[in-house]
Amino acid sequence: MFDAASRSAPWWQSAVFYQIYPWSFQDSNDDGIGDLRGIRSRLDYLRNGTSASLGVDAIWLSPIYPSPMRDFGYDVTDYLNVDPRFGTLTDFDDLLRDAHHRGIRVIMDLVLNHTSDQHKWFLESRASRHSPKRDWYCWADGNTFGRRPNNWNARFGGSSWTWDPGRRQYYLHSFLKEQPDLNWQHPPVRAAMWDIVRFWLDRGVDGFRLDAINWLGKDMRWPDNPVRFGLRGYTRQHHLYDRDQEIAHQVMRELRHLVSAYPDVVLIGEAAADTPGGPGSFYGNGDDELHLVFDFRLMKSPWRADWFRRFLSEHVPAIPQGGWPTIVFSNHDQPRHIDRYGAGGDAQARARAAALLLLTMPGTPFVYYGEELGMRNGRLRYRDLRDPYTKRFWPFRPGRDPARTPMQWDASSHAGFTTSRPWLPVAPDYRRLNVAQEVGDPRSLWSLYRQLIQLRQLYPALSCGECRLIEGTPRDCLLFHREAPTGEGTIERMLVAVNFSDRTCQFSLPAGSLQGHVLLSTDPTSGEAWNPGHIQLRPNEGLLVRLS
């Protein structure tokens, strides 16, 4: 089903990535905000070769650039520096050096579509229609009687257009009004951004996660988007002209060519799930646009076997030859998957089975900080909220703040994240779910994550092997093979079996199925041997079997 890449695979195909939200990982100066020195102090937790470290291969840092923080770093005022809240460029260099010393690659977030309205580029652009940077952003005159140029809606609500009284024109913002969109049809904009990319690559970063790439292109004739009746807000329009234009692919090809001069650099793109052709369209021909593209369909899926089966049977094969899948269940913009997959007593069992899927499905897995502990969405009051998007739709949508609460390190005050009041309240279950508690417990979710990461590193079939679905299994169960050749001329075969239901499933595989032994079960009480003629999966249990 899934044709693995060549055996001389680049590092990012077999890597496990760990997303760090800098605000929330570790505070080193007791101001209640996480920072670079805090991250540096926790590198041994991520990888140092001992039984107390996860063993991840790369970290992705959400934005650390200077910013007014209207969108918590995705509104950049200076792409060539570090926000004082997080530290200095020297702190970043120290983090990069120490991470590399431990074998951890460092990926930066790069926001290409827009800047802050406080960026010097925008301040110059809005100063005058005759400014040298007048065309760096998307400006337009109003329609008759001063109406907005068209009907485009912003992703975070309201119109995409804001009137600027100084310039006496409207400027476009696909997200917040404090995030004006850059004009990527203007060559100086591209040249300036490519200089920024070189600045960080020359410093030694190992790649970029590219924010909202399918918004880079707009039809600058400003036609109205068609209306979808019966819907509200952003979904009320077919977004035919304010995103998903060919120019976005041109930009990605230019960027891929630029980074090809730097060995081992990876480009990871974020594109909306409803992009024409799917997010996979940003692989281009498989070797001329992005190396990895997030596919968020599993991040928004319920806990159902058919959703995961469809992902493996339809979405993964649609990736062009030369492309590579990504597996992601949670991130800084969405509720944590443990809450989405089920509450109550089932939550932990499903979180354990999800860990097995995350680290054995074909593609590169991304672990969101705290996911390995079973961290839940924080229970916040309105007065606790910091994110404008979350405030705007509270309480009708969960928003983003609940998934950004501080990392739970131990049972001390504020979970060991800080000694002062944290920027967001710590989740109330931190005394039970924390690193100190789980590292010492061989049956904990943390220990399961660590074991699965070790198995990925030990068995190439789990990281770079081909994948084939096993048909004819119960509707609520998902089974698939992973296999790869060994250096001894044999084939290494693994089988993954997951029960998505709340009842025990019993079934048999076809006669002649391979024997093997169970490497692990996500149910800590399970001790059954592998018998393909009589498979029994407990409720929400997953098995990893090494086949003979």
mmCIF file of all heavy atoms in Angstrom, residues 456-470:
data_model
loop_
_atom_site.group_PDB
_atom_site.id
_atom_site.type_symbol
_atom_site.label_atom_id
_atom_site.label_comp_id
_atom_site.label_asym_id
_atom_site.label_seq_id
_atom_site.Cartn_x
_atom_site.Cartn_y
_atom_site.Cartn_z
ATOM 1 N N ARG A 456 11.152 1.968 17.556
ATOM 2 C CA ARG A 456 11.301 2.593 16.233
ATOM 3 C C ARG A 456 12.766 2.684 15.828
ATOM 4 O O ARG A 456 13.119 2.486 14.669
ATOM 5 C CB ARG A 456 10.697 3.998 16.241
ATOM 6 C CG ARG A 456 9.226 4.089 16.006
ATOM 7 C CD ARG A 456 8.770 5.538 15.996
ATOM 8 N NE ARG A 456 9.423 6.289 14.932
ATOM 9 C CZ ARG A 456 8.953 6.413 13.697
ATOM 10 N NH1 ARG A 456 7.817 5.848 13.374
ATOM 11 N NH2 ARG A 456 9.605 7.118 12.797
ATOM 12 N N GLN A 457 13.608 3.004 16.789
ATOM 13 C CA GLN A 457 15.025 3.137 16.490
ATOM 14 C C GLN A 457 15.690 1.782 16.274
ATOM 15 O O GLN A 457 16.658 1.665 15.522
ATOM 16 C CB GLN A 457 15.711 3.906 17.622
ATOM 17 C CG GLN A 457 15.238 5.350 17.743
ATOM 18 C CD GLN A 457 15.637 6.017 19.048
ATOM 19 O OE1 GLN A 457 16.030 5.357 20.007
ATOM 20 N NE2 GLN A 457 15.528 7.340 19.100
ATOM 21 N N LEU A 458 15.143 0.765 16.916
ATOM 22 C CA LEU A 458 15.730 -0.573 16.817
ATOM 23 C C LEU A 458 15.296 -1.311 15.559
ATOM 24 O O LEU A 458 16.090 -2.033 14.943
ATOM 25 C CB LEU A 458 15.337 -1.385 18.055
ATOM 26 C CG LEU A 458 15.900 -2.805 18.175
ATOM 27 C CD1 LEU A 458 17.424 -2.773 18.244
ATOM 28 C CD2 LEU A 458 15.324 -3.498 19.413
ATOM 29 N N TYR A 459 14.038 -1.104 15.143
ATOM 30 C CA TYR A 459 13.485 -1.867 14.024
ATOM 31 C C TYR A 459 13.164 -0.934 12.858
ATOM 32 O O TYR A 459 12.193 -0.168 12.910
ATOM 33 C CB TYR A 459 12.222 -2.610 14.449
ATOM 34 C CG TYR A 459 12.454 -3.659 15.508
ATOM 35 C CD1 TYR A 459 11.965 -3.494 16.799
ATOM 36 C CD2 TYR A 459 13.165 -4.819 15.216
ATOM 37 C CE1 TYR A 459 12.169 -4.460 17.773
ATOM 38 C CE2 TYR A 459 13.380 -5.790 16.174
ATOM 39 C CZ TYR A 459 12.886 -5.607 17.456
ATOM 40 O OH TYR A 459 13.101 -6.568 18.416
ATOM 41 N N PRO A 460 13.932 -0.993 11.766
ATOM 42 C CA PRO A 460 13.668 -0.126 10.604
ATOM 43 C C PRO A 460 12.272 -0.295 10.021
ATOM 44 O O PRO A 460 11.735 0.638 9.427
ATOM 45 C CB PRO A 460 14.746 -0.549 9.599
ATOM 46 C CG PRO A 460 15.842 -1.133 10.432
ATOM 47 C CD PRO A 460 15.162 -1.785 11.597
ATOM 48 N N ALA A 461 11.666 -1.473 10.191
ATOM 49 C CA ALA A 461 10.319 -1.681 9.647
ATOM 50 C C ALA A 461 9.331 -0.682 10.235
ATOM 51 O O ALA A 461 8.382 -0.259 9.563
ATOM 52 C CB ALA A 461 9.851 -3.105 9.933
ATOM 53 N N LEU A 462 9.542 -0.255 11.485
ATOM 54 C CA LEU A 462 8.609 0.655 12.143
ATOM 55 C C LEU A 462 8.827 2.106 11.754
ATOM 56 O O LEU A 462 7.920 2.929 11.884
ATOM 57 C CB LEU A 462 8.727 0.524 13.665
ATOM 58 C CG LEU A 462 8.311 -0.812 14.263
ATOM 59 C CD1 LEU A 462 8.527 -0.813 15.765
ATOM 60 C CD2 LEU A 462 6.858 -1.128 13.937
ATOM 61 N N SER A 463 10.017 2.445 11.284
ATOM 62 C CA SER A 463 10.293 3.832 10.938
ATOM 63 C C SER A 463 10.215 4.079 9.438
ATOM 64 O O SER A 463 9.601 5.060 9.003
ATOM 65 C CB SER A 463 11.659 4.261 11.472
ATOM 66 O OG SER A 463 12.683 3.413 10.982
ATOM 67 N N CYS A 464 10.798 3.197 8.651
ATOM 68 C CA CYS A 464 10.859 3.429 7.201
ATOM 69 C C CYS A 464 10.280 2.287 6.389
ATOM 70 O O CYS A 464 10.406 2.284 5.157
ATOM 71 C CB CYS A 464 12.305 3.676 6.776
ATOM 72 S SG CYS A 464 13.010 5.194 7.456
ATOM 73 N N GLY A 465 9.657 1.315 7.035
ATOM 74 C CA GLY A 465 9.165 0.157 6.309
ATOM 75 C C GLY A 465 7.909 0.421 5.512
ATOM 76 O O GLY A 465 7.198 1.406 5.732
ATOM 77 N N GLU A 466 7.640 -0.454 4.568
ATOM 78 C CA GLU A 466 6.389 -0.389 3.821
ATOM 79 C C GLU A 466 5.223 -0.759 4.739
ATOM 80 O O GLU A 466 5.393 -1.436 5.748
ATOM 81 C CB GLU A 466 6.443 -1.331 2.622
ATOM 82 C CG GLU A 466 7.514 -0.948 1.610
ATOM 83 C CD GLU A 466 7.581 -1.924 0.444
ATOM 84 O OE1 GLU A 466 6.708 -2.820 0.383
ATOM 85 O OE2 GLU A 466 8.496 -1.787 -0.377
ATOM 86 N N CYS A 467 4.041 -0.299 4.370
ATOM 87 C CA CYS A 467 2.847 -0.541 5.181
ATOM 88 C C CYS A 467 1.759 -1.161 4.312
ATOM 89 O O CYS A 467 1.521 -0.716 3.194
ATOM 90 C CB CYS A 467 2.351 0.775 5.790
ATOM 91 S SG CYS A 467 0.843 0.616 6.772
ATOM 92 N N ARG A 468 1.105 -2.196 4.856
ATOM 93 C CA ARG A 468 -0.024 -2.818 4.159
ATOM 94 C C ARG A 468 -1.139 -3.092 5.156
ATOM 95 O O ARG A 468 -0.905 -3.709 6.197
ATOM 96 C CB ARG A 468 0.403 -4.123 3.486
ATOM 97 C CG ARG A 468 1.285 -3.948 2.262
ATOM 98 C CD ARG A 468 1.272 -5.213 1.400
ATOM 99 N NE ARG A 468 1.654 -6.382 2.170
ATOM 100 C CZ ARG A 468 2.916 -6.779 2.382
ATOM 101 N NH1 ARG A 468 3.906 -6.078 1.879
ATOM 102 N NH2 ARG A 468 3.166 -7.858 3.082
ATOM 103 N N LEU A 469 -2.323 -2.637 4.824
ATOM 104 C CA LEU A 469 -3.485 -2.924 5.664
ATOM 105 C C LEU A 469 -3.839 -4.408 5.595
ATOM 106 O O LEU A 469 -3.671 -5.056 4.551
ATOM 107 C CB LEU A 469 -4.689 -2.111 5.198
ATOM 108 C CG LEU A 469 -4.837 -0.684 5.728
ATOM 109 C CD1 LEU A 469 -5.969 0.018 4.994
ATOM 110 C CD2 LEU A 469 -5.081 -0.682 7.228
ATOM 111 N N ILE A 470 -4.340 -4.936 6.686
ATOM 112 C CA ILE A 470 -4.843 -6.306 6.729
ATOM 113 C C ILE A 470 -6.366 -6.231 6.667
ATOM 114 O O ILE A 470 -7.010 -5.634 7.532
ATOM 115 C CB ILE A 470 -4.385 -7.033 8.006
ATOM 116 C CG1 ILE A 470 -2.850 -7.109 8.039
ATOM 117 C CG2 ILE A 470 -4.998 -8.427 8.080
ATOM 118 C CD1 ILE A 470 -2.312 -7.719 9.317
#
